[in-house]
Amino acid sequence: DGLRALAGYYARRGLLDRARCCYEVLDVLGAAKRDERAFLANHRPLELKPDDPYPGALDEADRSAHLTLSDSVKMAEVFSCLWDGTPGLPVGQTVEELGVSAQDKISPMSDLDLGKIYGQVSKALGNKKTALYIKLDGVAPDVAIAVHAPPALVIGPDLALSPLHAEMRFQIGRGIELTRPEYILAAGLPPRQFAQLLASVLKAFHPRHSRRHANPNDAAHEQMIKLKRSVSYKVSKRLVELFSALGTTAWSSVEWRAIVQQTGTRAGLLVCGDLRTAVRVVLAERPGKGKGDKKDKKDQKDHDAKDDSEEKDGQDNWSAEEIRRLCASYQPLKALLQYAISEDYFHLREKLGTAVVGAVAA
């Protein structure tokens, strides 16, 4: 009821995009009324063809103020400094190990919709350093991150050949954001390897952790020694300063990876502009839930062909009741819906030029 009242307030003031975002959440939760679904039908978002540029683009001020989680800024600077200034860092799988080669690299000038969308999303997010590869043979995840410099995304066949452009935008946008220096290690390394790396970084550069007695046979200790030898004095000094500024703030690898993924999801939603698609992807990735891509994507294609006013309650093969229940227990979904009605999201939609600015015929 509070969300409905907020949406009505925005609509009466002529803030159509904000009202639409609120009504979208109500619709995803199966709580939208007929007149609210009619509002969504009459105030549709900007439709972009694969090679259409976004009207605007994000800069670093936008990102730090409205995309990055406020309590992660200092830790983000730590990892950015580490990635840019430590040539001896462990890397994840290379593009070759992920099953692709130079012949599989996709250009923004490609005839493929995937390449066109990749080019426009890269410009919108202000990150043109990440390369894109396509893997059409065998079994592959929709998106895999190659953790090396320069970073790369490897796109699996299901997503590469998908007719669902909204999902392409979400996955590519999220992937490009996650290859930024501050996020790539947490997003691309296996959890155990990243946890060991974080322990090594703390032992090497955190004033409090570096004073603790270390077991010379510990893998983290060995990696710590390599880190200290491979970084320059300038980088080492800056890392010590950053950790000193964090004080007694406790950071676990699990918490940081969750924050990183949440930031990536925000970026994906922003360039995608379709909350229903973002929710579907986030739920499909829920631990312990089989992906069911083929059925999900067929359902989504059928959904896209329907008029908003004729939609049934539910999120593809997730019922509205299930989604409401998962909001209380699955943090990534809860965080996504919270961001979808936030001032930060409203601001970035306006900056990107995807905000609804007027009514169109139903």
Side-chain angles (χ1 to χ4, degrees):
D1 290 339
L3 184 56
R4 177 170 287 114
L6 182 62
Y9 169 77
Y10 285 144
R12 288 192 298 273
R13 290 190 58 195
L15 302 172
L16 303 181
D17 188 63
R18 296 182 177 211
R20 178 182 170 83
C21 290
C22 293
Y23 285 137
E24 274 190 301
V25 174
L26 285 173
D27 190 43
V28 165
L29 296 175
K33 298 178 180 179
R34 179 176 296 181
D35 61 324
E36 294 161 350
R37 292 196 297 270
F39 183 97
L40 292 173
N42 288 328
H43 301 84
R44 295 181 181 275
L46 177 69
E47 292 186 11
L48 294 173
K49 296 178 181 177
D51 55 351
D52 284 344
Y54 289 85
L58 270 60
D59 56 32
E60 288 306 306
D62 297 321
R63 176 173 277 102
S64 61
H66 303 289
L67 190 66
T68 304
L69 277 71
S70 58
D71 58 354
S72 70
V73 174
K74 290 182 178 179
M75 202 65 179
E77 192 173 352
V78 166
F79 281 103
S80 181
C81 181
L82 190 67
W83 176 258
D84 291 334
T86 312
L89 276 178
V91 296
Q93 289 181 295
T94 64
V95 291
E96 290 79 13
E97 290 171 331
L98 289 169
V100 293
S101 63
Q103 288 71 32
D104 301 308
K105 191 173 183 180
I106 301 298
S107 163
M109 304 303 292
S110 167
D111 291 334
L112 293 174
D113 288 348
L114 178 74
K116 296 173 183 177
I117 289 174
Y118 152 69
Q120 299 304 336
V121 168
S122 297
K123 288 187 285 186
L125 293 178
N127 181 4
K128 300 179 184 179
K129 298 179 180 179
T130 302
L132 186 75
Y133 293 79
I134 184 172
K135 179 177 173 62
L136 294 178
D137 59 329
V139 178
D142 283 342
V143 181
I145 296 176
V147 186
H148 54 63
L153 298 177
V154 178
I155 307 299
D158 285 347
L159 182 63
L161 302 178
S162 172
L164 306 178
H165 290 170
E167 182 172 347
M168 276 189 188
R169 291 181 187 277
F170 178 87
Q171 294 274 28
I172 291 174
R174 180 173 64 172
I176 287 175
E177 186 68 17
L178 293 180
T179 57
R180 287 176 59 85
E182 60 265 42
Y183 304 136
I184 187 169
L185 291 167
L189 292 178
R192 185 174 180 178
Q193 185 179 356
F194 177 71
Q196 189 177 81
L197 173 64
L198 179 57
S200 303
V201 171
L202 290 172
K203 290 177 185 293
F205 306 110
H206 196 295
R208 180 162 56 90
H209 289 273
S210 62
R211 291 194 296 267
R212 293 180 177 176
H213 177 72
N215 181 357
N217 297 320
D218 183 28
H221 176 78
E222 182 180 347
Q223 192 173 61
M224 178 268 289
I225 298 298
K226 292 180 179 179
L227 280 174
K228 296 190 77 168
R229 290 174 177 171
S230 62
V231 300
S232 66
Y233 172 76
K234 181 179 179 180
V235 172
S236 177
K237 182 174 181 292
R238 180 56 181 156
L239 286 170
V240 171
E241 291 172 349
L242 290 170
F243 277 121
S244 297
L246 284 170
T248 58
T249 302
W251 282 94
S252 75
S253 62
V254 174
E255 290 171 344
W256 179 243
R257 283 191 293 109
I259 286 175
V260 167
Q261 288 299 328
Q262 186 175 332
T263 305
T265 298
R266 288 181 170 190
L269 173 64
L270 180 64
V271 297
C272 161
D274 185 341
L275 180 62
R276 188 172 289 274
T277 290
V279 167
R280 182 174 60 83
V281 175
V282 167
L283 288 180
E285 296 172 345
R286 190 165 64 94
K289 192 266 179 189
K291 191 161 184 172
D293 276 345
K294 292 183 179 179
K295 184 178 187 304
D296 282 353
K297 292 180 179 179
K298 180 181 183 301
D299 290 345
Q300 179 69 7
K301 186 176 181 181
D302 292 342
H303 157 75
D304 291 343
K306 296 178 182 179
D307 186 89
D308 286 351
S309 63
E310 297 176 351
E311 290 174 14
K312 298 179 181 179
D313 288 347
Q315 181 71 29
D316 298 317
N317 47 345
W318 295 89
S319 71
E321 182 180 358
E322 287 175 313
I323 294 173
R324 291 195 297 269
R325 176 177 56 80
L326 286 169
C327 283
S329 61
Y330 188 44
Q331 179 59 26
L333 175 61
K334 179 180 179 179
L336 171 63
L337 296 182
Q338 288 175 329
Y339 188 68
I341 53 172
S342 69
E343 290 287 332
D344 289 328
Y345 183 54
F346 299 154
H347 175 86
L348 291 184
R349 283 172 62 87
E350 292 173 5
K351 181 64 185 288
L352 203 60
T354 57
V356 172
V357 295
V360 296

